[in-house]
Amino acid sequence: MRSLFTIGLISAWYSSNIGVLLLNKFLLSNYGFKYPIFLTLCHMLACSLLSYIAIEWLKIAPLQRVRSRLQLLKISALGIIFCLSVVGGNISLRYLPVSFNQAVGATTPFFTAVFAVVMTAKREGWVTYVTLIPVVAGVIIASGGEPLFHLFGFIMCIGATAARALKSVLQGILLSSEGEKLNSMNLLMYMAPIAVLVLFPAAIYMEEGVIGITVALARDDWKFLLYLLFNSALAYFVNLANFLVTKHTSPLTLQVKLLGTGKCKRGGGRGYIDHDIQNPVSVTGMLGYSLTVAGVVLYTEAKKRNM
């Protein structure tokens, strides 16, 4: 029964992710709306509001109070780290091709494994760690064979990747720690407003004129506002499902599942900046990408055998 529940969670998570991605592409194609940071800001506003309604009005989950300053600090760190992953990922896409950005993102399980050991002392079997070697080696090879390599973009991409991994581990702690445990809905309700406070100035600075453009699009076509609201509401279910999957599996397994679906558009629509989707890929780069994918497959098989 527990396995069926977990499969259902993952299926719901995949489905809602696909829905958000399709809506993101629709907004880009039909309205030219290429503002991923502002879109993520809308997502977090929806998460704040819908979580509050679900807890306070609908009583779907009991309200849990923040118990200590340390717990509040961890929740704040989670929100800030999430924002750093979004902003860093978008900055990196200005300098790096999408294909290379995805290859670097494939090292997320490696960083997750490192942070899990450092922060929780939780260790996987040695075979699991061995399977992560080709994942990292593939990125190193791809870096050497990338004709459009940019050092600053690479640093930002690695930083965003590490931030995603740290977020997964930290949310796992907040969802399962006996002394500081929060259910998924409460954690999202507390984390989302903090993310809004960080994302708002980032959107204003990095996506100049986005508020005026959004208002103008809404005035010209009221359906745009409807699509934006539905997109934000669906993103709430994506984030909620993300927390639930983390709780019922593990942060490391979560990140490899993400890679397995080819989901490197994290952060609520980073795929908007796919202006260089037709960038040339060298033979060395293809070798690196293939090695990375092989590592993900090996990891999945290792986890199956250890279950």
Side-chain angles (χ1 to χ4, degrees), residues 21-266:
L21 177 58
L22 291 175
L23 278 171
N24 288 348
K25 294 299 183 182
F26 179 82
L27 290 173
L28 172 64
S29 302
N30 288 53
Y31 296 97
F33 195 75
K34 50 182 179 180
Y35 304 101
I37 297 177
F38 180 78
L39 188 58
T40 308
L41 171 63
C42 294
H43 292 175
M44 290 296 102
L45 283 170
C47 288
S48 301
L49 179 61
L50 294 178
S51 294
Y52 180 80
I53 292 173
I55 293 172
E56 288 286 358
W57 294 3
L58 303 179
K59 307 295 182 182
I60 294 176
L63 176 64
Q64 294 176 295
R65 303 292 183 184
V66 176
R67 301 176 184 177
S68 65
R69 288 184 178 180
L70 179 60
Q71 187 182 32
L72 178 60
L73 182 62
K74 290 180 180 179
I75 295 171
S76 301
L78 181 65
I80 293 171
I81 291 167
F82 167 76
C83 296
L84 290 176
S85 70
V86 173
V87 175
N90 278 286
I91 292 175
S92 70
L93 279 170
R94 295 181 179 181
Y95 299 95
L96 297 175
V98 174
S99 56
F100 182 64
N101 190 283
Q102 292 178 343
V104 175
T107 62
T108 307
F110 169 77
F111 288 105
T112 305
V114 172
F115 287 133
V117 171
V118 172
M119 298 176 66
T120 68
K122 181 179 179 180
R123 299 179 182 275
E124 302 279 349
W126 67 270
V127 176
T128 302
Y129 292 115
V130 170
T131 60
L132 294 175
I133 294 176
V135 174
V136 179
V139 172
I140 294 174
I141 293 173
S143 300
E146 176 53 57
L148 300 177
F149 180 82
H150 191 283
L151 180 59
F152 178 72
F154 179 72
I155 292 172
M156 295 305 297
C157 191
I158 285 290
T161 302
R164 283 195 298 270
L166 182 57
K167 170 184 172 289
S168 293
V169 175
L170 185 56
Q171 74 185 29
I173 293 173
L174 288 167
L175 290 167
S176 60
S177 174
E178 287 301 324
E180 301 171 335
K181 186 188 298 184
L182 289 170
N183 65 47
S184 300
M185 205 169 287
N186 277 270
L187 179 56
L188 191 55
M189 182 180 70
Y190 289 125
M191 185 272 285
I194 296 170
V196 169
L197 292 176
V198 178
L199 287 171
F200 184 76
I204 297 299
Y205 178 74
M206 298 180 65
E207 298 174 341
E208 187 176 354
V210 64
I211 294 179
I213 292 171
T214 303
V215 172
L217 286 172
R219 286 177 176 173
D220 292 340
D221 185 353
W222 64 270
K223 291 182 180 179
F224 167 77
L225 184 58
L226 185 63
Y227 291 133
L228 186 60
L229 291 174
F230 183 65
N231 180 284
S232 300
L234 191 57
Y236 165 70
F237 293 102
V238 171
N239 284 281
L240 182 60
N242 179 282
F243 284 169
L244 288 169
V245 171
T246 301
K247 181 179 180 180
H248 290 278
T249 56
S250 71
L252 183 55
T253 299
L254 171 70
Q255 292 302 328
V256 176
K257 292 292 184 183
L258 280 170
L259 295 174
T261 60
K263 269 183 50 7
C264 294
K265 59 93 193 173
R266 298 176 185 85

